Amino acid sequence: MEAAVGAAEFPMTPLISIEKVTKVYHLGEHDIMPLQGVSLQIMPGEFVAIMGASGSGKTTLMNILGCMDKPTDGKYLLEGQEVSRLGKDELARLRNKKFGFVFQSFNLLSRTSALENVELPLQYWNTMSWSERRQRAEAALKRVGLEDRMDHYPNQLSGGQQQRVAIARALVNDPAIVLADEPTGNLDSKSEKDILTLFSELNATGITVILITHNPEIGAQVKRLIRIKDGRIVENA
Amino acid sequence: MNLARAMYLALRSLMRNKVRTALTMLGIVIGISSVIAMVAMGQGASTMIQDQISTMGRNILMVFPGAASSAGYSFGGGTSTTLTSEDAVAAAELPSIRAVAPIVRARAQLIAGGQNWNPQTLNGTTPSFVDVRDWDVEEGSFFTDADVVSSAKVCVIGRTIADNLFPGSSSLQQTIRMKNMPFKVLGVLAKKGTSAMGQDQDDVVLAPWTTVKKTLQGSAFNNVDQLLVSAQSDVTAASNDLTGLIRQRHRLAERDEADFRILTMNEMATAATQTSQVMTLLLAVIASISLLVGGIGIMNIMLVSVVERTREIGLRMAVGARGKDILMQFLLEATALSVAAGVIGMVLGVSAAWVISNTLHWPTLISPSSIGIAFAFSCAVGVFFGFYPAMRAARMDPIEALRYE
Ligand SMILES: Nc1ncnc2c1ncn2[C@@H]1O[C@H](COP(=O)(O)OP(=O)(O)OP(=O)(O)O)[C@@H](O)[C@H]1O
Ligand SMILES: [Mg+2]
């Protein structure tokens, strides 16, 4: 645990640091402000759960953290680098290299095998050979325990298996951070447990996991819980 | 992403919706194939005419019955029945003219000793034919004027027919059946070989025109389809003399329109070039319309596809695709669609040309340039009409695209 020792001696740069981030949507006459000045720091290797009522701004925050969206105002430092002023292509590159996304609705390409779904992020921003891509996708699927389902199509897999394919896709590029927006929202409790165990295992290998959930049990299990209400952080422990 | 891989993905995505893909391609397939087939027919016809001109010689004139039409040449001749063999005899007396042969065209299958043959040319004429065309009889002799008068069932054949119907033996005095009537072979014409167009000039049967008219065509009239004239030296003088003579013979008053027309080889060459230019222009119009329609079809289906795949686009952007990666993906799909359609159209067009030349005996010529242009245009259509849908895909916002239901 050299990293931990190092962290104790020199204060580590936060992986993610946002300061007074706001987001405003202009809808006709009035504005909607799902984020009203959120400040937050996340260190490498953390496992964070974000909870809050529906419409409180969790997804909006997650989209900004994942470089899918830009804040209206405020600062965002990713590994100490200011990202809120980067162009679209640079943000795409960051999404490809630094982040892995897991969605509530899986978002797998239908009529495309599990393996090819997992290969998708490798289609961009790299010059890997075809066989290397394949190897990495196979390794990622092995990591989520689906080595015997590589050639299956999404409609031949259970919901839990589909979400594991999606997690393999999020892992294939060795991301620093995995962002999961209600990843178990569409799953039964057994699959939910499996998926959470998987996230814990990933976190144990050093990947930072940020998870949105409505399940208080999960909130109770994780190392750190952030509660959001009406676009503001109300609990940060 | 490398191009080969992107191409593979584009093709795969097209294969997912086979019926839709096929229907979308149809417009371009039809456009390209019809243009290729028609260009082949047009070029075949004009090359054949140039070819005939060069093989017949510059001093040849042709007289056709019927009023001169304003729009270029017409091969089958008019419908009127004004030209007679007497006109031919009288014309031959003119000092500016060397020889005149009347021509009656027919089609019939030849049967001899269990062999069948479909000659390219079966003409009725007179012995003057040999002088007009400067074509020697190699074996035996040509039929005589007496044969013409008596409508004798005799004929002279070209080398190709002799070799095919009577291989290894002499054709002379053999019998060929046409329309169930026996014709005696009197002679074999000297070999002329194939023309530049690839037409076999020795695939020819000549018989007395009276016999062809009465026996093969079953006609009671004594008009002929054409007069074949060779001028002494001055084609223009010959043409003028001919006009005067035939007008006089047909008792045409000063203001009457001629009931015949004379074509010199030079005029035919000009007319052929003009016609092929008109044809080319027409084809260009047809081609652009069909490519436009096909292109709009592609644009339409690509727009539908972009909307249907909104979530896929959002996902791809979420995992790192830039706008230009998405643009390339859809542009490649549209181009693959139109190029595939173009290739299918080419294959169909070439096959259609082949069928036309083999069943309708219309000469066709497929030029590499028409293939190349067709290919280039189908690529261009894909890029052009695929661009707008691809642009719409590329401009999507990843979050909104992912939220799309
Ligand atoms: N594109 C948008 N345009 C306008 N308003 C938006 C847009 N996206 C989100 N909002 C608004 O922002 C607020 C926060 O939305 P967000 O999706 O972040 O909530 P959430 O906490 O993720 O809720 P849930 O738990 O239901 O997913 C909502 O009031 C929503 O209507
Ligand atoms: Mg949400």
Side-chain angles (χ1 to χ4, degrees):
Chain A
M1 291 257 86
E2 277 177 19
V5 173
E9 287 175 1
F10 318 95
M12 265 163 77
T13 13
L15 185 56
I16 285 174
S17 170
I18 59 173
E19 213 173 301
K20 297 193 190 115
V21 160
T22 60
K23 183 75 192 177
V24 180
Y25 289 110
H26 305 285
L27 282 185
E29 299 278 288
H30 43 264
D31 291 348
I32 293 183
M33 206 165 167
L35 294 181
Q36 313 191 357
V38 175
S39 300
L40 177 67
Q41 292 199 334
I42 295 173
M43 302 308 267
E46 281 199 271
F47 193 136
V48 183
I50 301 178
M51 293 189 72
S54 185
S56 54
K58 305 183 294 294
T59 300
T60 310
L61 176 63
M62 182 81 103
N63 284 338
I64 288 173
L65 294 183
C67 294
M68 296 265 277
D69 202 358
K70 285 191 181 185
T72 308
D73 209 353
K75 264 185 152 179
Y76 178 8
L77 300 180
L78 178 67
E79 290 177 329
Q81 194 202 348
E82 177 63 68
V83 295
S84 46
R85 245 165 247 105
L86 293 179
K88 272 185 165 186
D89 289 1
E90 273 307 304
L91 292 179
R93 195 186 130 80
L94 283 178
R95 291 198 294 273
N96 183 258
K97 297 290 181 207
K98 297 283 176 204
F99 294 97
F101 294 91
V102 180
F103 308 92
Q104 178 175 356
S105 50
F106 318 143
N107 279 327
L108 298 177
L109 300 188
S110 57
R111 285 186 282 178
T112 304
S113 71
L115 194 64
E116 282 174 302
N117 264 292
V118 174
E119 272 182 33
L120 199 65
L122 303 180
Q123 281 182 12
Y124 306 104
W125 297 105
N126 78 60
T127 51
M128 249 177 238
S129 73
W130 182 82
S131 59
E132 196 183 343
R133 270 181 212 164
R134 207 175 175 84
Q135 274 168 14
R136 289 187 63 160
E138 281 173 4
L141 275 169
K142 219 168 261 167
R143 223 165 143 185
V144 300
L146 283 180
E147 56 268 44
D148 54 345
R149 294 280 194 281
M150 305 218 206
D151 297 320
H152 287 227
Y153 291 110
N155 60 1
Q156 298 167 327
L157 296 170
S158 75
Q161 288 168 335
Q162 289 186 51
Q163 193 60 301
R164 280 195 278 164
V165 173
I167 293 172
R169 181 181 62 199
L171 294 178
V172 76
N173 239 348
D174 285 331
I177 307 155
V178 169
L179 299 173
D181 192 348
E182 298 182 48
T184 57
N186 286 350
L187 300 178
D188 62 280
S189 55
K190 164 80 172 64
S191 306
E192 177 168 38
K193 255 193 204 100
D194 293 347
I195 295 292
L196 281 170
T197 313
L198 186 52
F199 278 126
S200 305
E201 284 168 17
L202 297 179
N203 181 242
T205 66
I207 297 175
T208 305
V209 178
I210 305 176
L211 184 91
I212 294 178
T213 181
H214 282 294
N215 186 341
E217 280 179 46
I218 300 175
Q221 284 170 23
V222 294
K223 298 183 207 164
R224 181 173 173 199
L225 177 68
I226 293 174
R227 267 186 208 282
I228 295 192
K229 196 181 170 198
D230 298 332
R232 288 203 174 81
I233 293 182
V234 292
E235 182 185 334
N236 189 352
Chain B
M1 183 153 45
N2 69 38
L3 200 67
R5 175 94 183 143
M7 205 66 198
Y8 163 78
L9 290 173
L11 285 175
R12 246 189 54 163
S13 124
L14 292 177
M15 290 307 281
R16 287 204 182 121
N17 231 322
K18 292 196 186 62
V19 176
R20 183 204 273 189
T21 301
L23 288 175
T24 308
M25 294 197 299
L26 208 56
I28 289 187
V29 169
I30 291 173
I32 296 277
S33 61
S34 55
V35 165
I36 288 199
M38 286 185 333
V39 166
M41 286 172 70
Q43 293 206 323
S46 80
T47 313
M48 184 183 74
I49 290 161
Q50 303 289 1
D51 212 37
Q52 278 181 350
I53 293 164
S54 65
T55 51
M56 281 206 174
R58 288 270 156 198
N59 65 334
I60 294 275
L61 299 89
M62 292 177 182
V63 187
F64 293 100
S69 74
S70 49
Y73 68 93
S74 136
F75 248 17
T79 45
S80 45
T81 54
T82 53
L83 224 48
T84 63
S85 67
E86 286 81 32
D87 290 334
V89 174
E93 301 297 320
L94 290 169
S96 60
I97 282 171
R98 202 158 60 93
V100 181
I103 300 284
V104 173
R105 282 185 290 267
R107 275 213 164 268
Q109 180 146 46
L110 313 183
I111 301 170
Q115 305 267 38
N116 276 352
W117 190 257
N118 239 325
Q120 224 155 60
T121 313
L122 166 53
N123 281 348
T125 185
T126 63
S128 321
F129 183 87
V130 183
D131 302 324
V132 176
R133 289 294 314 274
D134 235 339
W135 201 345
D136 289 335
V137 178
E138 190 179 72
E139 268 179 75
S141 58
F142 211 82
F143 53 80
T144 62
D145 286 320
D147 290 327
V148 176
V149 171
S150 66
S151 311
K153 294 196 182 78
V154 293
C155 65
V156 178
I157 58 179
R159 183 40 71 193
T160 303
I161 295 182
D163 289 348
N164 279 283
L165 287 184
F166 311 107
S169 61
S170 168
S171 327
L172 298 183
Q173 302 303 314
Q174 300 268 22
T175 300
I176 294 177
R177 299 188 73 85
M178 292 184 238
K179 299 237 165 114
N180 255 333
M181 276 165 293
F183 282 71
K184 196 157 69 172
V185 178
L186 295 184
V188 178
L189 292 163
K191 192 176 174 71
K192 279 222 166 184
T194 47
S195 67
M197 175 66 192
Q199 199 184 6
D200 183 2
Q201 299 182 76
D202 300 309
D203 191 4
V204 60
V205 181
L206 300 173
W209 73 268
T210 47
T211 319
V212 172
K213 195 83 193 170
K214 282 181 214 159
T215 319
L216 289 182
Q217 293 188 344
S219 165
F221 299 105
N222 65 345
N223 63 302
V224 297
D225 295 334
Q226 181 190 338
L227 300 185
L228 205 54
V229 182
S230 73
Q232 279 301 359
S233 58
D234 186 346
V235 175
T236 318
S239 173
N240 289 338
D241 290 353
L242 262 176
T243 309
L245 176 82
I246 302 177
R247 284 187 75 94
Q248 187 195 334
R249 288 185 52 85
H250 291 190
R251 294 179 222 290
L252 297 175
E254 197 71 32
R255 56 178 200 289
D256 285 344
E257 234 181 286
D259 60 353
F260 62 94
R261 66 212 148 91
I262 298 174
L263 282 179
T264 66
M265 284 301 159
N266 276 330
E267 283 167 357
M268 281 186 60
T270 317
T273 327
Q274 276 174 359
T275 312
S276 81
Q277 276 166 357
V278 170
M279 185 111 168
T280 309
L281 194 75
L282 231 117
L283 285 171
V285 171
I286 294 171
S288 4
I289 291 175
S290 66
L291 287 178
L292 184 75
V293 171
I296 291 171
I298 287 185
M299 180 150 85
N300 182 35
I301 226 66
M302 289 310 294
L303 281 171
V304 171
S305 171
V306 165
V307 171
E308 277 179 353
R309 288 155 70 187
T310 300
R311 281 176 79 95
E312 173 186 335
I313 295 164
L315 177 75
R316 286 179 181 273
M317 287 177 159
V319 301
R322 286 163 299 178
K324 81 176 188 203
D325 294 318
I326 302 291
L327 183 85
M328 276 307 285
Q329 180 190 344
F330 282 92
L331 214 47
L332 261 173
E333 256 177 56
T335 311
L337 199 61
S338 69
V339 168
V343 169
I344 294 172
M346 274 176 234
V347 172
L348 281 183
V350 171
S351 325
W354 187 83
V355 168
I356 286 166
S357 68
N358 275 278
T359 58
L360 303 179
H361 300 285
W362 181 291
T364 58
L365 188 75
I366 288 165
S367 67
S369 69
S370 73
I371 300 262
I373 290 172
F375 187 78
F377 264 94
S378 47
C379 291
V381 162
V383 173
F384 185 81
F385 289 96
F387 195 81
Y388 174 64
M391 204 62 211
R392 293 218 351 193
R395 290 234 178 100
M396 281 185 183
D397 176 68
I399 299 169
E400 273 166 36
L402 272 172
R403 215 191 279 135
Y404 182 84
E405 291 300 331

